[in-house]
Amino acid sequence: MKVGTEMGHGEDAVFTLRAAGAALVVDAAGPVPQVLHWGADPGPAAGLRETAAPALLNNSPDEPRRLTVWPVERDGWSGTPAQRGHAAGTATTPRPELVEVQAVPGRSGGGRIALRFADRVSALRGEIVFAMDEFGVLAVDQSVTRDLALAPGAAEPYTLDGLRVLMPVPDRAAELLDFTGKWCRERAPQRGPLRFGTHARRAHRGKPGHDTPFLMALGTDGFGFGHGELWTVHLAWSGESEYLAERLPEGTGLFAAVLGAGELLHPGEVRLADGERYDAPTAVFTWSGSGLDGIADRLHRRLRARASHPAEPRPLVLNTWEAVYFDHDMDRLTGLVARAAKVGVERIVLDDGWFRGRRGDHAGLGDWYVDEGVWPEGLRPLVDLVRGHGMEFGLWFEPEMVNLDSDLARAHPDWVLGPAQGLGPAARRQYVLDLARPEAYAHVRDRISALVGEYGIDYLKWDHNRDLLEAVSRRDGAERSSVRAQTLALYRLLDELRALHPGLEIETCSGGGGRIDLGILDRTDRLWASDCNDPVERAQIERWTRMLVPPELIGSHLGAARSHTTSRTTDLAFRLAASLTAHAGIEMDLQTASDEELERVRAWAGMYRELRLLIHSGRIVNADLADDAVQLTGIVAQDGAHALYTWARTATSPAGQTGRVRLPGLDPAARYRIRVRGDLGDPSRHQGRDPGWIAAAAADWIDLDGGVLAVAGVPLPTLNPQQAMIFELRRLP
């Protein structure tokens, strides 16, 4: 075995990655290394190897079971294997053997351990790379390459059925949290005990889907936002995925269970001939000793450290969809743009309906040419109008989709992704365009690029409104499953457009929140968390979206009083408050607003511009409350000097008041100046009079000790349902 390292020496070396209080310890002895520890930094790791031999159980293999970094049956592992596949029915028992270790420390903590294997049964070379960043987040990449030189006489391609990263967790990780959902109710949490067997979540929609598990977490009993120990996994992939938490009666050697993820592959989708390689999507593992907010903080810091992360203040957006829908009338849009400029909008996005034949959702997708009947002079008059008001211009596309009623589908019916025996039912009257087909890819790229160049478009809203069912490509005279190829083509297309048009920003949308993952976020600048602008629903959707994504990347728009998606009617003040603490925007038709309402929207826009540097850089905190009808969410500056809290109620409660509520994220030893921000209007109360300190803070700044705010807590008003109140705090010198 070859060892190249700056962290240890010898075939029995123990390698440690540590950063920000987290650590991974890997023992490279034996044919396949094993994880000795993942979680809180234990300090010196030598003793972990000395105590690594588990008991030999009754009625078990004659060697104690050990969970390796590449767990297969050879090791006595009876759970879900890391690798599954075959070569024409043979080579079904992978036997990877370690041949090389490379370990390099990071400059600011963390580092990288690369383990390389040779498998003479499967005729594969494998690699798994553990990379811990300075924030303690562990990214794991895995790959296999077919190498027939390892197995003379082997000739058949190797059909890979699955390649997963599985990490061990201790027995105190006894409670499981993941997510489900549907359109307009994305990222709904579900939790319960981790039982024996396999808890598997498979996203089989050609994308993560509205019901994506999103982030699977195992934690100590009763963990919350601010307390408890957690181990989580997220798959940074925009195609199909599999998440699992698995607990066997015999355990996993030193540990109780495994937590893992990998791409969900279709039969025959990956067949490796000699020299061909499969790279699994990155699995992102995060540990926290301070609850769910600790997980979110690590992941947010990781995203914010990217070179591609938006560096400029996020502009206030107006998207035209719920204002005009398909009614693209220049006079109507002129009035809307004028009112947008009046309230302080900085970017206008023209949504669906601008291209040929697009008077409804039944036709036109794929024909990315400006509709001359609606826009006889092209989009130039609107673009010039928007720019004349000092605003940026954005445009909606759905590049991965096609209507059968389109010039594109009529000219190239074989570009539609689906079996030749007959297409299944449409969804939203549309089908999927086979982007893995080079001609289709080039057509879409060239049309988008031409329009971006012609109009100097600043921003694309990139939509994707249906699942991929029967995602079969008919290229090269054969039919084959194509979800993976479609996903890789999407990534390539986004990368190429950004390279062709430096500075172009892209928002990812998939019927709202159907494609939210770190893979797509590596190539986009904003996500649309949900098509639901109902603030009651959106408060929960965004709260859980923030587990993975920081607020500056989450679009949150002010909708109409009567929600387009739920028909619920809410007060303007509540809608404004709910749309303030992310990347704010407007979806309502400002031309229907009264002068008084327009003035309140203008004040909200000013408040957003005032506070967005805090909102888009601060640490997210959530109060752990016994009452699910109320929510206290805060954003605390990284230096702790400035904070913003939103106190919101969505329903009535049995109790008349909440008692003392603690404001998380503050320094108990500091002293703070606090005030109620009344800019958005006064919320309705279900009480006769506010707590005394609230009345004082509504009139002017008041001073309170951090111990009172963060440890003892303060009484808060009993608001009526669908009401919110905002507090601003500044730490005193």
Side-chain angles (χ1 to χ4, degrees):
M1 179 184 72
K2 179 181 177 182
V3 178
T5 178
E6 298 177 21
M7 304 172 73
H9 296 280
E11 293 189 4
D12 61 348
V14 173
F15 300 94
T16 302
L17 303 177
R18 51 169 49 98
L24 172 76
V25 183
V26 176
D27 183 359
V32 184
Q34 63 178 322
V35 173
L36 297 180
H37 175 80
W38 168 48
D41 190 341
L48 289 171
R49 190 170 191 281
E50 295 172 10
T51 57
L56 180 64
L57 301 181
N58 293 327
N59 193 29
S60 68
D62 290 340
E63 295 292 331
R65 292 182 177 90
R66 55 197 297 270
L67 184 81
T68 71
V69 299
W70 205 293
V72 293
E73 291 182 34
R74 174 194 54 188
D75 311 311
W77 173 240
S78 299
T80 303
Q83 176 188 333
R84 183 177 280 137
H86 65 94
T90 67
T92 59
T93 55
R95 298 182 72 84
E97 303 283 343
L98 184 66
V99 295
E100 184 179 3
V101 180
Q102 288 188 338
V104 180
R107 293 180 179 177
S108 303
R112 182 177 181 272
I113 302 171
L115 306 169
R116 299 186 180 94
F117 304 89
D119 183 345
R120 299 185 184 279
V121 170
S122 302
L124 294 172
R125 294 195 179 276
E127 182 179 55
I128 187 166
V129 178
F130 299 92
M132 181 176 284
D133 63 26
E134 61 187 290
F135 313 110
V137 178
L138 182 67
V140 186
D141 290 295
Q142 199 170 10
S143 67
V144 289
T145 303
R146 187 73 159 148
D147 185 356
L148 295 181
L150 292 171
E156 294 290 338
Y158 184 85
T159 300
L160 184 67
D161 294 326
L163 191 64
R164 308 166 188 87
V165 180
L166 302 174
M167 291 288 289
V169 291
D171 63 354
R172 63 184 180 276
E175 192 170 351
L176 185 146
L177 167 72
D178 65 4
F179 298 86
T180 183
K182 59 182 181 179
W183 179 72
C184 284
R185 200 179 187 275
E186 295 89 341
R187 284 164 298 290
Q190 53 183 16
R191 62 189 289 176
L194 175 63
R195 304 182 187 277
F196 285 106
T198 305
H199 177 84
R201 297 289 309 282
R202 297 182 177 95
H204 190 65
R205 301 179 181 277
K207 60 181 180 180
H210 294 85
D211 62 338
T212 173
F214 184 59
L215 188 78
M216 186 172 281
L218 292 174
T220 50
D221 280 335
F223 65 82
F225 286 108
H227 62 90
E229 193 176 10
L230 287 119
W231 295 257
T232 72
V233 63
H234 168 81
L235 193 69
W237 179 243
S238 309
E240 298 190 337
S241 60
E242 177 184 40
Y243 289 72
L244 63 92
E246 193 163 49
R247 184 184 182 196
L248 302 182
E250 64 268 25
T252 61
L254 297 172
F255 300 92
V258 297
L259 182 67
E263 182 180 5
L264 186 63
L265 295 172
H266 287 246
E269 191 169 18
V270 175
R271 299 178 75 242
L272 300 174
D274 192 30
E276 292 183 333
R277 172 175 170 139
Y278 168 81
D279 290 295
T282 300
V284 179
F285 292 89
T286 311
W287 169 86
S288 165
S290 55
L292 291 163
D293 285 348
I295 295 289
D297 185 49
R298 291 184 189 273
L299 291 167
H300 293 182
R301 288 174 182 268
R302 174 183 175 85
L303 282 167
R304 286 168 170 168
R306 301 172 302 162
S308 62
H309 196 75
E312 299 297 322
R314 312 303 290 136
L316 183 66
V317 178
L318 183 141
N319 190 79
T320 65
W321 177 241
E322 290 190 15
V324 303
Y325 298 104
F326 290 108
D327 184 15
H328 285 202
D329 175 79
M330 187 60 189
D331 290 340
R332 185 175 181 185
L333 288 167
T334 297
L336 183 63
V337 169
R339 287 209 154 193
K342 184 176 181 180
V343 301
V345 167
E346 298 160 306
R347 174 184 287 162
I348 297 280
V349 180
L350 183 66
D351 210 287
D352 195 358
W354 56 268
F355 47 97
R356 285 181 185 168
R358 193 65 168 177
R359 305 278 58 79
D361 65 4
H362 62 282
L365 283 178
D367 296 340
W368 302 113
Y369 298 86
V370 178
D371 192 321
E372 301 90 339
V374 178
W375 299 97
E377 300 177 62
L379 295 178
R380 179 58 58 193
L382 179 63
V383 173
D384 289 347
L385 176 69
V386 169
R387 295 250 166 78
H389 282 286
M391 295 183 283
E392 296 179 356
F393 180 78
L395 196 59
W396 180 94
F397 285 88
E398 195 170 3
E400 300 156 80
M401 300 295 161
V402 62
N403 290 126
L404 296 187
D405 186 2
S406 66
D407 293 341
L408 182 69
R410 283 184 284 271
H412 303 286
D414 54 333
W415 289 11
V416 179
L417 199 62
Q421 290 82 357
L423 297 175
R428 202 174 179 256
R429 306 185 189 186
Q430 65 193 48
Y431 289 88
V432 182
L433 188 68
D434 185 1
L435 283 184
R437 181 185 285 269
E439 317 92 275
Y441 177 96
H443 168 79
V444 172
R445 178 202 60 206
D446 293 347
R447 288 311 310 144
I448 295 175
S449 184
L451 287 161
V452 171
E454 180 180 357
Y455 295 111
I457 293 171
D458 303 290
Y459 184 85
L460 302 181
K461 181 179 178 183
W462 190 291
D463 214 339
H464 181 278
N465 274 305
R466 66 158 290 170
D467 294 346
L468 275 62
L469 302 175
E470 296 189 308
V472 175
S473 175
R474 290 171 277 166
R475 62 186 182 276
D476 303 328
E479 293 190 10
R480 65 196 65 172
S481 295
S482 194
V483 173
R484 176 174 173 79
Q486 185 81 356
T487 306
L488 293 173
L490 164 67
Y491 285 174
R492 191 167 64 252
L493 180 57
L494 291 168
D495 291 343
E496 192 169 353
L497 285 169
R498 290 166 71 94
L500 288 169
H501 303 281
L504 176 68
E505 289 196 11
I506 301 176
E507 173 182 11
T508 177
C509 175
S510 184
R515 188 163 64 188
I516 292 177
D517 61 87
L518 295 181
I520 200 74
L521 279 175
D522 273 345
R523 297 162 172 87
T524 54
D525 307 280
R526 187 184 199 246
L527 62 84
W528 188 230
S530 178
D531 280 344
C532 187
N533 281 318
D534 178 336
V536 176
E537 300 294 333
R538 198 164 187 109
Q540 294 301 319
I541 293 168
E542 290 185 14
R543 171 183 235 190
W544 293 108
T545 302
R546 288 193 299 265
M547 279 301 306
L548 182 71
V549 184
E552 64 269 25
L553 299 182
I554 302 173
S556 184
H557 287 191
L558 169 67
R562 187 172 186 268
S563 169
H564 164 73
T565 54
T566 67
S567 293
R568 180 187 278 126
T569 299
T570 50
D571 291 347
L572 178 60
F574 185 59
R575 287 179 281 132
L576 292 170
S579 299
L580 179 68
T581 52
H583 183 181
I586 298 171
E587 202 84 10
M588 68 179 290
D589 186 357
L590 293 175
Q591 294 183 95
T592 65
S594 67
D595 290 343
E596 188 271 337
E597 289 172 329
L598 209 63
E599 179 57 28
R600 289 171 67 187
V601 173
R602 189 197 63 76
W604 164 81
M607 190 174 173
Y608 169 71
R609 287 192 298 274
E610 173 197 345
L611 296 169
R612 62 183 163 190
L613 290 180
L614 167 64
I615 295 167
H616 297 164
S617 63
R619 179 167 54 92
I620 297 294
V621 293
N622 295 273
D624 285 302
L625 303 171
D627 186 353
D628 290 337
V630 290
Q631 178 177 313
L632 180 69
T633 301
I635 303 174
V636 182
Q638 296 296 334
D639 64 1
H642 193 193
L644 198 69
Y645 290 86
T646 301
W647 171 243
R649 175 175 287 278
T650 57
T652 60
S653 302
Q657 56 185 338
T658 55
R660 289 186 178 270
V661 175
R662 293 184 290 184
L663 275 61
L666 300 180
D667 180 0
R671 189 165 172 79
Y672 292 90
R673 183 155 287 177
I674 181 171
R675 64 170 171 169
V676 176
R677 293 295 301 252
D679 313 50
L680 308 183
D682 198 30
S684 170
R685 275 81 153 174
H686 195 75
Q687 60 184 29
R689 186 170 58 203
D690 280 337
W693 79 272
I694 289 285
D700 199 357
W701 293 94
I702 65 169
D703 297 346
L704 288 173
D705 289 327
V708 171
L709 294 165
V711 180
V714 290
L716 296 177
T718 302
L719 303 178
N720 275 318
Q722 302 165 30
Q723 302 291 318
M725 179 178 283
I726 295 176
F727 306 96
E728 183 181 6
L729 288 83
R730 292 190 180 274
R731 188 180 59 202
L732 291 168

